[in-house]
Amino acid sequence: MTTDIDIACLADITRAHAAARPSAVALVYQGRETTYRELDERASRVANGLIAAGLGPQARVAYLDKNSDRFFEVLFGAAKANQVMVAVNWRLAPPEVAYVINDAMAEALFVGQDFFPVIEKILPELRTVKKVIAIDAPHEGWEHYPEWRDAQPADDPRVPVSEDDVAIQMYTSGTTGHPKGAQLTNGNFFALLPGAVREWGPRWSENDVNLVVMPLFHIAGSGWGIVGLYAGAKDIVLRDVVPAEILRVIPEYRVTRALFVPAVMLFLLQTPGVQETDFSSLQFIAYGASPIPLDLLRNAVATFKCQFAQLYGLTETTGTVTYLPPEDHDPNGNPRMRSCGKPLPGVEVRIVDPEGRDVPLGQVGEIICRSKQVMKGYWNLPEETAKAIRDGWFYTGDAGYMDADGYVYIYDRVKDMIVSGGENVYPAEVESALFGHPAVADVAVIGVPDDKWGEAVKAIVVKKPGMEVSPEELIAFARERIAGYKVPKSIDFAEALPRNPSGKILKRELRAPYWAGRERQVN
């Protein structure tokens, strides 16, 4: 691949490959191919258009659409203008979308046709947006992306960029009910990328064909796509997770690498035709974002017949901080397959007690890490940043332990977060939605084991005296207020919720019956 020295910031990725291999294909989306030269030129046009619209260095650029090649044109365009890409989670309800765009103080907004109604509904509330650009279809009153882009000059603006400048702002679900904007800098990405290309499976090359299917508003989606482009590979971008489509494109494009969350691997293995699919091109599958049942992993290894590696990390760490390599994956299973591997080079990991002291090997504590990959901080939330990053160490909120060989095992979550199908769900958000119902006196939300999603959201509700309400009514009520993946899959009723003397709900007690007999408290 192009040497690491040629590439010092995100904007350099397209510059370097356009100079070295202009006609090589960078992106394939729904049959549409974009070469590295075209991607670089379009990024320059986007950058010039954003600058002409009055956006200065470090201005925020919001993007609301499902996966497409356009995402990368805007991402690298923002990077060339030294602006910050804010990929908005398209699964959010309209009030949540408005919150994110306003919180980011986004000045430009790119929106796909599927989400025109969402933006029409909330546009009067968007305080900082100067320009709305319709990505894939015209919309009256908004500029149409292809025409707007192609009307801009194609010369590279070459706005100076430092490693401390933010490149991407990704919103994580908030324990307080509001998402927080994790600021990922150019330096954060370049602490990760060179090692990823060298060490994740067989060394990446320009001949790799990389499947990008996880949502691009996730670090697992956009980060994986960026790794492929940094390596000079060809990224095959799928709009959405459709198992039959994934099985079709792997042999069609001779895909060599992919990243899936465990729920997607399960869907693929259950899809008719999987046993007949030609996976001979596959060399490497990375998986992560939630723990994986051992039986599912063994089945995947047997079916896809390629190298597997587990990646563990968070948005706030620019993705992967520990890595379980292919050689630790045994088709018959082994104890290490329950771990998330060892820290990557340049990453330190400790397991600590609530006072921040190291706990003995094998003992459960909070996983903390120190690395140049750790975010700059949460946007405009100095107190939350100070809680999360202490003395240079990032507190992950995940509980786990380390063995004598340095392998990290995730056991539980310090924060009450639920991971369902690779999506983080914070109970506080769901509880606050349900509390708005007139029949609800008290509510606690927990994660329970689910064979399909890893964990499912369950609410335990105390009804007000003399009031009646059905689980179906409460689920419908929640669906109006929060994203679909956060809505409880089931609701139980209780006379009262267990609480400690200070009034805090004892979620561990609520979870215990559902997790009885299981080795660990995550699925």
Side-chain angles (χ1 to χ4, degrees):
M1 60 167 277
T2 307
T3 59
D4 301 349
I5 297 156
D6 296 335
I7 304 178
C9 63
L10 281 191
D12 287 344
I13 290 175
T14 63
R15 289 173 180 143
H17 292 301
R21 302 159 52 247
S23 58
V25 175
L27 299 167
V28 180
Y29 172 73
Q30 296 185 346
R32 182 166 66 201
E33 292 191 345
T34 305
T35 65
Y36 274 98
R37 183 183 61 235
E38 288 168 333
L39 179 57
D40 186 58
E41 182 192 296
R42 288 172 189 174
S44 293
R45 291 183 189 275
V46 168
N48 288 320
L50 291 169
I51 293 164
L55 277 71
Q58 294 292 282
R60 268 57 181 170
V61 177
Y63 188 98
L64 178 67
D65 195 15
K66 292 189 174 183
N67 292 3
S68 91
D69 48 0
R70 304 303 193 212
F71 174 90
F72 292 99
E73 295 178 14
V74 176
L75 169 67
F76 290 110
K80 284 190 173 198
N82 192 15
Q83 293 166 6
V84 181
M85 181 76 151
V86 180
V88 183
N89 181 340
W90 46 259
R91 293 185 171 130
L92 298 178
E96 297 171 306
V97 171
Y99 177 84
V100 167
I101 294 171
N102 281 331
D103 181 74
M105 300 164 67
E107 295 177 42
L109 169 61
F110 292 80
V111 57
Q113 185 176 8
D114 293 354
F115 304 97
F116 287 176
V118 173
I119 298 304
E120 286 162 358
K121 188 172 180 179
I122 63 174
L123 196 55
E125 302 165 43
L126 302 181
R127 299 188 291 268
T128 52
V129 172
K130 300 175 181 174
K131 181 180 275 294
V132 181
I133 297 165
I135 295 166
D136 48 4
H139 182 287
E140 195 178 340
W142 302 344
E143 296 212 52
H144 188 207
Y145 175 73
E147 292 155 19
W148 170 82
R149 177 196 67 197
D150 294 344
Q152 313 302 327
D155 52 309
D156 192 325
R158 299 221 168 245
V159 176
V161 176
S162 82
E163 69 169 29
D164 198 43
D165 285 329
V166 181
I168 297 180
Q169 186 161 308
M170 286 197 162
Y171 276 78
T172 67
S173 294
T175 44
T176 54
H178 278 310
K180 303 190 287 281
Q183 301 176 87
L184 303 180
T185 66
N186 282 281
N188 292 152
F189 277 99
F190 284 86
L192 174 86
L193 289 168
V197 164
R198 282 195 305 270
E199 290 149 26
W200 293 1
R203 187 185 172 108
W204 288 70
S205 84
E206 294 153 350
N207 300 319
D208 272 308
V209 180
N210 184 42
L211 184 62
V212 180
V213 64
M214 302 317 301
L216 294 172
F217 59 76
H218 263 299
I219 192 68
S222 51
W224 185 251
I226 290 166
V227 170
L229 295 170
Y230 175 75
K234 180 192 293 183
D235 274 359
I236 311 296
V237 182
L238 295 191
R239 184 160 181 79
D240 219 339
V241 175
V242 180
E245 175 81 349
I246 295 171
L247 295 182
R248 182 182 67 75
V249 302
I250 289 173
E252 181 180 339
Y253 289 102
R254 306 295 296 159
V255 168
T256 61
R257 294 174 187 256
L259 182 149
F260 301 127
V261 299
V264 172
M265 290 211 283
L266 177 65
F267 298 155
L268 290 174
L269 293 171
Q270 292 173 342
T271 302
V274 66
Q275 298 304 332
E276 292 74 54
T277 303
D278 175 12
F279 295 122
S280 60
S281 62
L282 274 178
Q283 297 172 16
F284 179 74
I285 291 177
Y287 63 93
S290 64
I292 188 165
L294 195 52
D295 285 345
L296 170 58
L297 184 53
R298 280 202 297 255
N299 193 356
V301 170
T303 303
F304 297 114
K305 295 184 173 66
C306 66
Q307 295 189 14
F308 276 74
Q310 183 174 162
L311 311 177
Y312 163 72
L314 301 94
T315 305
E316 292 93 335
T317 59
T318 323
T320 308
V321 288
T322 74
Y323 176 77
L324 184 71
E327 51 269 29
D328 283 325
H329 287 72
D330 180 343
N332 301 313
N334 66 47
R336 278 188 180 161
M337 285 166 73
R338 292 197 178 279
S339 85
C340 55
K342 295 164 88 166
L344 291 172
V347 176
E348 299 169 80
V349 170
R350 292 166 52 209
I351 314 291
V352 299
D353 66 15
E355 281 72 52
R357 297 173 302 220
D358 291 310
V359 302
L361 290 175
Q363 189 170 314
V364 173
E366 183 168 1
I367 300 168
I368 67 172
C369 68
R370 184 164 64 180
S371 162
K372 287 184 177 174
Q373 291 174 217
V374 171
M375 65 172 178
K376 187 173 188 171
Y378 293 117
W379 169 248
N380 284 343
L381 291 170
E383 288 175 9
E384 291 289 333
T385 301
K387 269 192 259 176
I389 304 172
R390 299 174 230 163
D391 300 324
W393 290 88
F394 175 69
Y395 283 67
T396 66
D398 286 325
Y401 61 93
M402 192 182 281
D403 70 15
D405 297 318
Y407 286 77
V408 177
Y409 295 74
I410 295 177
Y411 179 76
D412 200 343
R413 297 193 181 88
V414 175
K415 306 164 186 162
D416 288 321
M417 190 176 75
I418 300 160
V419 177
S420 185
E423 291 283 1
N424 295 350
V425 180
Y426 281 91
E429 292 183 271
V430 188
E431 289 161 357
S432 99
L434 289 170
F435 261 126
H437 193 282
V440 172
D442 204 358
V443 58
V445 168
I446 58 171
V448 297
D450 185 283
D451 290 340
K452 186 176 183 183
W453 300 108
E455 288 180 87
V457 179
K458 176 182 277 290
I460 297 163
V461 169
V462 178
K463 290 182 278 197
K464 287 183 181 167
M467 305 266 313
E468 278 307 316
V469 65
S470 70
E472 294 74 22
E473 282 174 74
L474 288 174
I475 288 168
F477 182 82
R479 189 166 278 116
E480 293 289 351
R481 288 158 178 79
I482 49 176
Y485 68 87
K486 301 176 185 174
V487 172
K489 295 273 188 293
S490 60
I491 292 181
D492 292 350
F493 294 100
E495 293 297 310
L497 297 177
R499 294 178 182 273
N500 69 11
S502 64
K504 184 174 167 55
I505 294 172
L506 300 170
K507 295 227 169 144
R508 196 171 289 273
E509 279 187 24
L510 290 176
R511 285 163 55 110
Y514 302 99
W515 292 89
R518 290 181 177 253
E519 203 172 302
R520 51 186 182 171
Q521 300 299 294
V522 288
N523 196 20

